[in-house]
Structure formats: C-alpha cells, structure tokens
Amino acid sequence: MDFNMKKLASDAGIFFTRAVQFTEEKFGQAEKTELDAHFENLLARADSTKNWTEKILRQTEVLLQPNPSEWTGTGPGARAGSWWRRLAGARVEEFLYEKLDRKVPSRVTNGELLAQYMTEAAGELGPTTPYGKTLIKVAEAEKRLGAAERDFIHTASINFLTPLRNFLEGDWKTISKERRLLQNRRLDLDACKARLKKAKAAEAKATLWNDEVDKSEQELRVAQTEFDRQAEVTRLLLEGISSTHISRHFRGHHRARLPTPQQHLTHHHCGHYACGAFCGWPGPSGRGRALPGGGGSTRQRNPQGPGPLRL
C-alpha cells in the first residue's frame, strides 16, 4: 500500500511538472526543444496519410454499401424509407459481427432479390406467356448480377478495405502511442533543462550547493538519453509509412482493374438476356431477339422502341 502511494505521488509529480512546462511553453515563458526538419516532415506526412486513409475508407464503404443516415428527401425516395431502415439494420449487424470477431453471414443482394421477384411474378402471371418468358430471362441476368456484385464487394473488401483498416487500427495506433510518449519525453527534457538553468543561476548567487547542480545535470543526461531513444523509435515508425504507400500502390492498381458489377453484367451475363428480351438490341453475338408482340427485327434495333408486351 505504501509502495502504491509513493508511486501515485511520483506519477502526480511528473504529470504536474509536464503540465507546468507545457503551459509555460504556450505562453512563451519556457524554451522548447524543436525537432529537426526531416522529423517534422515525417510527422506531417503521417498525419496526411491518416486523414486521407480515413476519407478513402469511408467513401469506399459508402460506394459499396450506401449509408442510410445520409439518405434524405421526399417523393419516391422517401417512400423507400423502410428499405433503408433494413439496410441500416444490416450495417449494425455487420458491425456487431466484426466486434465479436465472427464471420458475417451471406446476405441476399438487391439483384438476387429482384430476380426472385421477377421469377415469382412470372410464375403467377404465366411462365409460358411472352411477358412471363421475358421476366424469367431477365431474372436470370439479375441473379447473375447479384452474384457478380457479391464477388465484387468481397474482393474489394479483402484487397482494398482491409489494408486501410489494418493501418488505422494497427499501425496508426502504435504511431500515435509512440508520438504521445515522445511528447512526454520532450516535456521531461525541457523541464530538466529549466531546472538546471535555475540551479546554475542560484549557484551563481551562492544560494545553492554544488551537489544540487550535479543532480540537475544528471537528470538532464538521463532525460536526454530517453528522449533520443524515443525519437529514434518514433522516426523508424514514421519512415515505415513509405512502405505502406508502396503496398497500397499495388493494391490500388488491383482495385482499378476490378470490374464493376454493371460491367460484369454487361459483358458476361446480361448481354442477350436483358438487352434482347426487353429492348430488342443486338446481344454480344450481334443477334437481337424479337420482342414479344412487338414486331421488332431479330437483327436490327426497332427505331420505334419496343412494342407492347402481351400478358
């Protein structure tokens, strides 16, 4: 108990000394040890990297899954509020699974849900009618679009978002901790310099014994050693950010080569299904499909648009 009280008193004294030094520096009443220009540039680069990483991460998450809290407006968009509330619940669920370190269960995408509705509509309206057949064909394309969207989000999350989160939750926390420790070491060093300066001034007036000056000099040497050691540790961490930039450079190239779900649908899935079935446009093979009841050409796009669909 006595040991704890002594340690508590010592920590309180150190905290008070740092607070006094910091306050006097702010009012220009105490000298401050300045870091070299290279170190200051590393600190500025680290802060810039952290700020832009947060913005890129946040906006990429919005791109992959829009934030329902940012949805405002009236009219048709406002009537979709229930869907956005479901999406908000999904994001909360993902957050809880992430904190529990558990895998987020697979969820039906919008394309797959639309495909399900179209398939059910075709079954109720008549799967053998022209309209029913069209719904089934487009549903197949939308189902593939949903699968492509799922793969796209999964790949982007692993190859692009995960390194950004790892930097913010791992590297940056370590850097911030070491920077705070460096700041404390710098305050201790400057406080020792101030005490030594006062001790020498008192010695000159013959009001202080020489051993007090020796004690202050010894404290200064210890503080200088600790400050130099902590500055080196922090510098190495800050310089390591350059390797983080290189890693993101390659991952960014990979992200740029990823096809969007729309591109994936257009080139691999929808082609002769959605374009041919609904619009009568030529598919990837150059052949269009006749519109149900429309009279459009099987090879040329109908300049008058699609004809009426018959149920």
Side-chain angles (χ1 to χ4, degrees), residues 48-113:
S48 179
T49 300
K50 182 256 185 181
N51 293 335
W52 283 112
T53 299
E54 288 180 333
K55 292 180 180 180
I56 292 173
L57 174 63
R58 184 166 55 247
Q59 191 58 36
T60 305
E61 290 176 335
V62 171
L63 172 67
L64 297 178
Q65 182 172 289
N67 189 349
S69 64
E70 298 175 356
W71 178 266
T72 57
T74 58
R79 291 195 292 270
S82 60
W83 184 88
W84 284 99
R85 284 192 293 272
R86 290 197 300 271
L87 180 56
R91 299 195 71 171
V92 172
E93 180 185 8
E94 290 181 358
F95 174 79
L96 293 177
Y97 272 102
E98 179 181 350
K99 292 303 178 183
L100 295 174
D101 196 20
R102 296 179 59 184
K103 182 180 179 181
V104 180
S106 179
R107 186 177 292 106
V108 177
T109 62
N110 294 328
E112 291 171 325
L113 187 60

Side-chain angles (χ1 to χ4, degrees), residues 43 46-47 172 175-183 234:
L43 291 174
D47 290 333
W172 182 252
I175 291 174
S176 299
K177 177 183 176 181
E178 297 299 332
R179 286 178 66 174
R180 289 192 297 269
L181 187 56
L182 177 63
Q183 173 72 355
T234 307

Side-chain angles (χ1 to χ4, degrees), residues 29-300:
Q29 299 175 356
E31 297 180 358
K32 176 181 177 181
T33 300
E34 299 292 342
L35 301 172
D36 60 79
H38 175 64
F39 204 102
E40 292 289 353
N41 289 334
L42 290 176
L43 291 174
R45 186 176 179 83
D47 290 333
S48 179
T49 300
K50 182 256 185 181
N51 293 335
W52 283 112
T53 299
E54 288 180 333
K55 292 180 180 180
I56 292 173
L57 174 63
R58 184 166 55 247
Q59 191 58 36
T60 305
E61 290 176 335
V62 171
L63 172 67
L64 297 178
Q65 182 172 289
N67 189 349
S69 64
E70 298 175 356
W71 178 266
T72 57
T74 58
R79 291 195 292 270
S82 60
W83 184 88
W84 284 99
R85 284 192 293 272
R86 290 197 300 271
L87 180 56
R91 299 195 71 171
V92 172
E93 180 185 8
E94 290 181 358
F95 174 79
L96 293 177
Y97 272 102
E98 179 181 350
K99 292 303 178 183
L100 295 174
D101 196 20
R102 296 179 59 184
K103 182 180 179 181
V104 180
S106 179
R107 186 177 292 106
V108 177
T109 62
N110 294 328
E112 291 171 325
L113 187 60
L114 176 59
Q116 177 183 341
Y117 289 164
M118 287 184 168
T119 302
E120 293 176 358
E124 184 172 338
L125 299 176
T128 59
T129 63
Y131 183 50
K133 292 179 180 179
T134 299
L135 286 175
I136 292 175
K137 290 184 181 295
V138 178
E140 293 175 357
E142 290 295 340
K143 185 176 181 180
R144 291 185 174 89
L145 170 60
E149 180 181 1
R150 189 197 311 277
D151 293 341
F152 171 77
I153 293 175
H154 178 72
T155 303
S157 177
I158 293 178
N159 294 328
F160 190 72
L161 293 182
T162 298
L164 299 183
R165 292 194 186 98
N166 290 343
F167 171 77
L168 294 175
E169 298 174 3
D171 296 350
W172 182 252
K173 286 186 177 180
T174 302
I175 291 174
S176 299
K177 177 183 176 181
E178 297 299 332
R179 286 178 66 174
R180 289 192 297 269
L181 187 56
L182 177 63
Q183 173 72 355
N184 291 335
R185 293 287 183 264
R186 204 265 312 156
L187 290 172
D188 294 341
L189 174 63
D190 290 336
C192 289
K193 289 180 178 179
R195 284 197 298 269
L196 178 59
K197 185 177 181 181
K198 292 178 181 179
K200 289 184 176 181
E203 182 187 35
K205 296 179 181 179
T207 60
L208 190 70
W209 296 100
N210 289 333
D211 57 350
E212 189 67 23
V213 176
D214 295 338
K215 179 182 178 182
S216 298
E217 290 178 343
Q218 177 63 25
E219 291 177 349
L220 177 59
R221 285 193 292 268
V222 173
Q224 184 70 57
T225 301
E226 292 181 350
F227 172 78
D228 293 340
R229 183 186 300 113
Q230 185 59 37
E232 180 65 16
V233 171
T234 307
R235 182 185 64 81
L236 292 175
L237 288 173
L238 294 174
E239 290 178 345
I241 293 181
S242 297
S243 62
T244 302
H245 289 176
I246 295 175
S247 175
R248 291 188 199 171
H249 165 75
F250 290 109
R251 292 183 181 275
H253 273 288
H254 177 77
R255 170 69 178 84
R257 292 194 298 267
L258 287 175
T260 64
Q262 291 79 3
Q263 291 172 333
H264 200 78
L265 173 70
T266 301
H267 294 290
H268 297 285
H269 301 313
C270 98
H272 59 283
Y273 284 140
C275 294
F278 262 146
C279 306
W281 297 345
S285 62
R287 297 181 179 180
R289 294 183 60 87
L291 293 170
S297 170
T298 59
R299 292 184 179 273
Q300 301 294 330

